[in-house]
Amino acid sequence: MSGCDEEQSVLTTELPPTELDDCLRIRKWWCFLLSSIFTFLAGLLAVLLWRAFAFLCCRKEPELAPNDPKQKEQKASRQGKQDFEGTFMTEAKDWAGELISGQTTTGRILVVLVFILSIASLIIYFIDASNEEVERCQKWSNNITQQIDLAFNIFFMVYFFIRFIAASDKLWFMLEMYSFVDYFTIPPSFVSIYLDRTWIGLRFLRALRLMTVPDILQYLNILKTSSSIRLAQLVSIFISVWLTAAGIIHLLENSGDPLEFNNPQQLSYWTCVYFLIVTMSTVGYGDVYCETVLGRTFLVFFLLVGLAVFASWIPEITELAAQRNKYGGKYTKDVRRRYTTVPS
C-alpha cells in the first residue's frame, strides 16, 4: 500500500489549488476498489476453508463392532460434538435469526432501522454526487458527510455479521446481492480515513435497499392485498435499478476511460438520472449523452435488458394501479334511502 500513502504529507485543512492539483495528479480509486474486492475474496476464502475443515475433521466415522472396546469412546465423542452443535452453534444461529426476522418486534424494529439508515446513507451519496468530481482530496477530520457515513457503515457491518451468523448456507450468503452492497460500500469508508481523500465509488448500490420497501410495508401492516404488494414490488425495483444505473453512468462519465482518464465528462448525478429516464422512455432529446467508451458500453447493455423488462412492467404497473383505484373505495350505507315494493 506504499502507493496509497505517498502524498498524505501535502494535505492540509484546506488545500491550495496547486497542492490540490498535485494531490489529484495520482488517482487512488484503485485503493478503494481493491479494499472491497479483498474483503469479498477474504470472506469467501474463510468460508471455503471452514467447509474444508469441517469436511475433513467431522466426517462420519465407521461403525465399530458391538463388542469393540472403542465403541464407548466413539459414542462419547459423537455425543460431545452433538452437544456443542446443539447448544452454542444452534443458540447463536437462533438468536441471530430472531434478531433479523420480521416476525418479532425486535426484528421489525431492526429491519426498519436498517432501511432508514440505508436511505440516510443514500442521501449522503446524493449530496456528494451532486458535485461533479468523483475523487477529492480532503482531510477526513474535516469531512462531515464521510464521518456520518462511517457511523452508518459501522452499524451496517455489525448487521452484516448478524446476518452471516443467521444464514443457514454461509457460501450462498456471501454471494447474495445485499452482501455485495456491503462489500463495496463499507470498506472504502475506512480507506478514506487512511488516505485523507474520498472516492464517490459504488455507494449508489445503497439504492438497491429500496427493494425491501414492500417487505417493510407488510411488517407495518400497510400492504395487505396481493395486488398492492405486487405493485409496491414493481415500483421499488424500477426506482432502485434506475437510481443504481444513474450512479454507474455518473461514475464512468466523470472518471473517464482508463488508463489515462483524460476524457471525463462533467455530469452531476441528477443529470444522469434525467438522462436515463429520457433514454428509457425512448424520447432521447440528445441534450445529454455518454462520451466515454465505458459509459456507452454500459448503456448499450443496460438498454438491451432494461427496455425489454420495463416494457413488460409498465403495463402491469398501470393495470395494478387501475385495479387498486377501482376496488379501493369504501362502502357507505345510505340510511335515508327508502325502498317500496310495487305489486305486480
Side-chain angles (χ1 to χ4, degrees):
M1 297 290 288
S2 60
C4 297
D5 50 309
E6 59 182 347
E7 293 183 350
Q8 288 183 343
S9 59
V10 300
L11 295 175
T12 57
T13 304
E14 294 182 359
L15 293 176
T18 55
E19 294 187 5
L20 183 62
D21 294 338
D22 293 338
C23 177
L24 293 177
R25 185 171 295 136
I26 300 178
R27 300 291 182 178
K28 303 291 181 66
W29 59 270
W30 54 272
C31 296
F32 297 92
L33 194 58
L34 279 181
S35 67
S36 299
I37 296 175
F38 176 78
T39 302
F40 166 66
L41 294 179
L44 194 62
L45 180 61
V47 172
L48 293 176
L49 290 177
W50 174 258
R51 282 197 169 188
F53 175 78
F55 176 77
L56 295 175
C57 299
C58 303
R59 288 183 296 180
K60 188 176 181 180
E61 300 176 358
E63 294 291 340
L64 300 176
N67 297 327
D68 196 315
K70 295 183 179 180
Q71 189 182 32
K72 292 183 178 180
E73 297 179 3
Q74 186 184 56
K75 289 183 178 180
S77 177
R78 290 180 180 177
Q79 185 65 32
K81 291 179 181 179
Q82 291 177 359
D83 291 341
F84 176 76
E85 294 176 356
T87 55
F88 178 75
M89 299 297 291
T90 304
E91 288 181 3
K93 185 176 179 180
D94 292 342
W95 169 80
E98 292 180 359
L99 197 60
I100 65 173
S101 173
Q103 306 303 322
T104 61
T105 304
T106 305
R108 292 177 182 177
I109 294 174
L110 183 60
V111 170
V112 173
L113 180 61
V114 169
F115 174 77
I116 293 175
L117 294 183
S118 298
I119 298 302
S121 179
L122 186 62
I123 292 174
I124 292 177
Y125 166 78
F126 290 156
I127 295 173
D128 292 341
S130 297
N131 301 320
E132 297 172 350
E133 52 192 5
V134 295
E135 189 170 351
R136 182 173 54 184
C137 289
Q138 183 179 8
K139 290 187 68 67
W140 186 85
S141 58
N142 299 319
N143 196 332
I144 303 299
T145 57
Q146 289 298 311
Q147 295 173 9
I148 298 174
D149 193 57
L150 177 66
F152 292 159
N153 283 322
I154 292 175
F155 175 83
F156 295 142
M157 183 173 59
V158 174
Y159 185 66
F160 175 86
F161 286 114
I162 295 175
R163 290 165 46 224
F164 178 79
I165 295 173
S168 56
D169 190 341
K170 310 299 184 185
L171 182 60
W172 180 251
F173 169 80
M174 298 295 294
L175 302 176
E176 286 182 352
M177 179 183 67
Y178 293 126
S179 298
F180 277 99
V181 172
D182 291 330
Y183 300 146
F184 288 98
T185 54
I186 296 177
S189 63
F190 292 94
V191 176
S192 64
I193 302 176
Y194 180 73
L195 296 179
D196 272 331
R197 69 167 62 199
T198 60
W199 182 54
I200 201 67
L202 306 179
R203 286 189 288 153
F204 53 80
L205 293 176
R206 290 287 178 199
L208 296 175
R209 281 284 180 184
L210 293 174
M211 294 184 183
T212 62
V213 170
D215 297 331
I216 295 175
L217 294 180
Q218 290 182 68
Y219 297 154
L220 300 177
N221 292 324
I222 297 177
L223 298 180
K224 299 180 180 180
T225 63
S226 59
S227 60
S228 60
I229 295 173
R230 178 59 178 169
L231 178 61
Q233 290 175 344
L234 292 175
V235 173
S236 62
I237 293 174
F238 179 86
I239 294 176
S240 60
V241 173
W242 172 28
L243 295 179
T244 303
I248 296 176
I249 293 293
H250 174 265
L251 177 63
L252 296 178
E253 288 298 304
N254 284 275
S255 298
D257 288 321
L259 296 168
E260 298 297 331
F261 300 102
N262 55 2
N263 62 334
Q265 179 185 190
Q266 302 299 322
L267 293 177
S268 67
Y269 176 79
W270 299 112
T271 302
C272 297
V273 171
Y274 158 79
F275 164 66
L276 269 187
I277 197 62
V278 169
T279 305
M280 286 193 302
S281 62
T282 67
V283 176
Y285 292 120
D287 52 343
V288 183
Y289 55 90
C290 293
E291 294 183 358
T292 63
V293 175
L294 289 180
R296 293 175 180 177
T297 304
F298 167 77
L299 188 62
V300 168
F301 286 102
F302 176 76
L303 292 180
L304 287 176
V305 179
L307 286 179
V309 173
F310 293 146
S312 62
W313 283 357
I314 295 300
E316 185 177 0
I317 292 175
T318 305
E319 181 180 356
L320 289 173
Q323 183 180 359
R324 181 179 176 86
N325 293 332
K326 181 178 180 180
Y327 298 102
K330 295 182 179 180
Y331 172 76
T332 56
K333 184 178 179 181
D334 190 356
V335 297
R336 298 172 299 174
R337 192 166 185 176
R338 296 290 185 267
Y339 296 91
T340 57
T341 303
V342 179
S344 57

